[in-house]
Structures are given as C-alpha cells and as structure tokens.
Amino acid sequence: MNITSAELADLHHRQAHSEQPRWRPGVSLVLCLRGNLENPLNATWGWRRRRSWATRWKERVFSALLEAGYRRGQIEPATPKLVVLEARLWNLMDSADNLRASLKPVVDALVEAGVLDGDADRCGHRFDYRQRIARRDRGLTLTIQDSP
C-alpha cells in the first residue's frame, strides 16, 4: 500500500473527529468502495494493466480499512467469517464466475491486510457474491462479520 505521511495524518485526523463508531472485533464491518468493477476475464489487457487495476482495488480496500479503524492484529484472521461482496454495477455481469474474477483483488487485499487468513475453502470463511444495478453509484459494498 502506498500512502504518504500527509495522507496518513489526514486519516488519523478524520478518525479522531469522526462520529461513527470505530470497528471492533465481534461487530460487523461495512465498507463502501467507489469505482468501476471490470471483468478481467473478458479484457484484453497486458500484465501491466491487469496489475495496475488490481493494485488500485487493493489500495481502496486498505484505505477503507484504515478509515474504519482497523489495525492488523485486532482480530484473529483464522476465525471463520462471512464476507458479503455486493457489486454496484452499470449492467449485471453474465455469470457468477465473472463477478468473482472482478472481485478477486478485494478478497486478496483482505488476506494481505490480515482480516482473513486465506480465501481457500479449507480456511472456513464464507463468501457471498451479489450484484445489483446502480448506475450513479458504482462500486462495492463489503460486509465482514463473524460467521454464525
């Protein structure tokens, strides 16, 4: 994650003066990320463009986690969680595979940030992928909660 000292100071200032409760273990975390989700399976990108696209989405997740008050080590990543990823799109994607491929950098960012210990089935986390049309407010609503 690339963040300047000025951006970090601004995040700390916003957290200190925020009226919203900070995230803590045992409470659902809801992040709203803005951006245009694209399907990398249908794209004719080179490896540099694909890496740039994935990096931008990972940085959005890292920034949203920082704003929510998350710090590495606050929770146990191995505790099973339910992760709901609701994409807000211009048009619905054709299949669940396309939606999962477009959200792969987001899930990878959760693993890199220490929220999850992995995205494999053996880790015990459940992922619920949803999509809806929202042409004026495209992006992603990400909800993380302890799995029941």
Side-chain angles (χ1 to χ4, degrees):
M1 177 169 84
N2 299 326
I3 187 167
T4 66
S5 59
E7 290 172 331
L8 184 61
D10 182 50
L11 282 173
H12 287 297
H13 177 74
R14 281 191 275 166
Q15 285 177 355
H17 296 89
S18 174
E19 295 179 10
Q20 296 179 346
R22 289 185 171 183
W23 181 78
R24 60 188 185 278
V27 176
S28 294
L29 173 64
V30 179
L31 305 174
C32 292
L33 310 171
R34 303 200 81 189
N36 189 23
L37 286 165
E38 299 173 77
N39 180 5
L41 299 178
N42 291 342
T44 56
W45 299 339
W47 66 270
R48 286 188 180 117
R49 171 109 162 50
R50 186 177 301 262
R51 184 179 65 184
S52 174
W53 166 79
T55 301
R56 281 193 312 272
W57 273 103
K58 286 180 182 183
E59 287 180 352
R60 286 179 184 137
V61 173
F62 295 145
S63 294
L65 285 170
L66 280 173
E67 282 190 35
Y70 172 77
R71 298 291 179 269
R72 185 181 295 273
Q74 281 183 324
I75 60 169
E76 177 59 40
T79 303
K81 295 174 188 59
L82 171 63
V83 180
V84 179
L85 301 108
E86 182 181 30
R88 300 182 312 269
L89 306 165
W90 184 267
N91 287 322
L92 298 179
M93 293 193 181
D94 292 338
S95 70
D97 291 339
N98 294 340
L99 183 60
R100 286 188 181 115
S102 66
L103 295 172
K104 180 67 173 149
V106 174
V107 175
D108 290 344
L110 293 175
V111 174
E112 289 177 26
V115 175
L116 306 174
D117 60 338
D119 59 352
D121 291 338
R122 69 178 175 275
C123 294
H125 307 296
R126 293 184 319 166
F127 298 93
D128 184 9
Y129 294 91
R130 302 175 184 172
Q131 57 181 331
R132 66 181 173 91
I133 295 175
R135 294 187 171 150
R136 291 189 178 176
D137 185 32
R138 287 180 288 180
L140 173 69
T141 302
L142 177 65
T143 307
I144 306 164
Q145 59 189 15
D146 290 337
S147 186

